[in-house]
Amino acid sequence: MNIILFDGECHFCNTSVQFIIKRDQKKYFKFASLQSEIGQKLLEEFQIPKTTDSLIFIEGNSSYVKSTAALKICRRLDGMWKLLYPFLIIPKFLRNTVYDVVAKNRHKLMKQTECRIPTKEELERFLH
């Protein structure tokens, strides 16, 4: 199980999902919004507080949030993105400080007000 949980009501998060899909040619990841029924079930199953406002990556029997989730996702992406993975050696509190600044300003960062409609093939990677 390699699932990315994302805020389905956030344009920045939706754009991030599209970014990941384009760089995941092996189709390693599946996706579910935090607001979906399966997203809520996974939060409960992995004992992640429902108030968590972060990217969440579930890999096998482990779950990761914030910068750890982002870096573990980068490790599986095509191209140079793998080179970001070693940043895990930076203390989590420093990485998450940067993550939190971006997350806090994510609505300001995205001027886009509409989400791209996924193709039929892409939709198969979303859990309902």
Side-chain angles (χ1 to χ4, degrees):
M1 177 175 353
N2 305 302
I3 301 170
I4 296 173
L5 297 176
F6 64 98
D7 182 349
E9 298 171 351
C10 167
H11 294 296
F12 184 83
C13 301
N14 282 301
T15 300
S16 297
V17 167
Q18 297 307 315
F19 176 90
I20 293 166
I21 287 172
K22 284 182 180 179
R23 289 153 185 85
D24 179 27
Q25 296 300 312
K26 294 177 184 166
K27 297 181 171 68
Y28 183 80
F29 301 109
K30 297 281 186 188
F31 304 89
S33 80
L34 289 166
Q35 295 82 5
S36 69
E37 188 176 320
I38 193 157
Q40 292 295 302
K41 278 185 182 178
L42 288 167
L43 289 176
E44 189 174 311
E45 181 180 335
F46 285 87
Q47 300 176 345
I48 301 166
K50 291 187 179 198
T51 57
T52 301
D53 186 23
S54 167
L55 174 71
I56 299 168
F57 176 43
I58 297 170
E59 186 174 42
N61 294 321
S62 301
S63 64
Y64 307 97
V65 297
K66 296 189 176 191
S67 64
T68 303
L71 292 171
K72 289 207 173 257
I73 290 167
C74 284
R75 178 182 70 184
R76 300 289 184 177
L77 296 179
D78 302 325
M80 303 290 281
W81 298 101
K82 293 173 183 47
L83 297 177
L84 295 175
Y85 183 68
F87 282 100
L88 277 176
I89 65 169
I90 295 172
K92 189 186 295 189
F93 79 92
L94 289 174
R95 287 186 281 118
N96 283 345
T97 298
V98 173
Y99 182 94
D100 289 341
V101 168
V102 172
K104 183 178 180 181
N105 294 293
R106 69 183 187 250
H107 297 290
K108 294 176 191 171
L109 293 171
M110 287 303 299
K111 302 296 182 205
Q112 182 179 349
T113 58
E114 297 176 3
C115 297
R116 184 177 76 76
I117 298 173
T119 66
K120 185 176 179 181
E121 182 180 288
E122 291 169 345
L123 278 175
E124 292 173 5
R125 298 177 66 188
F126 286 82
L127 304 174
H128 303 283

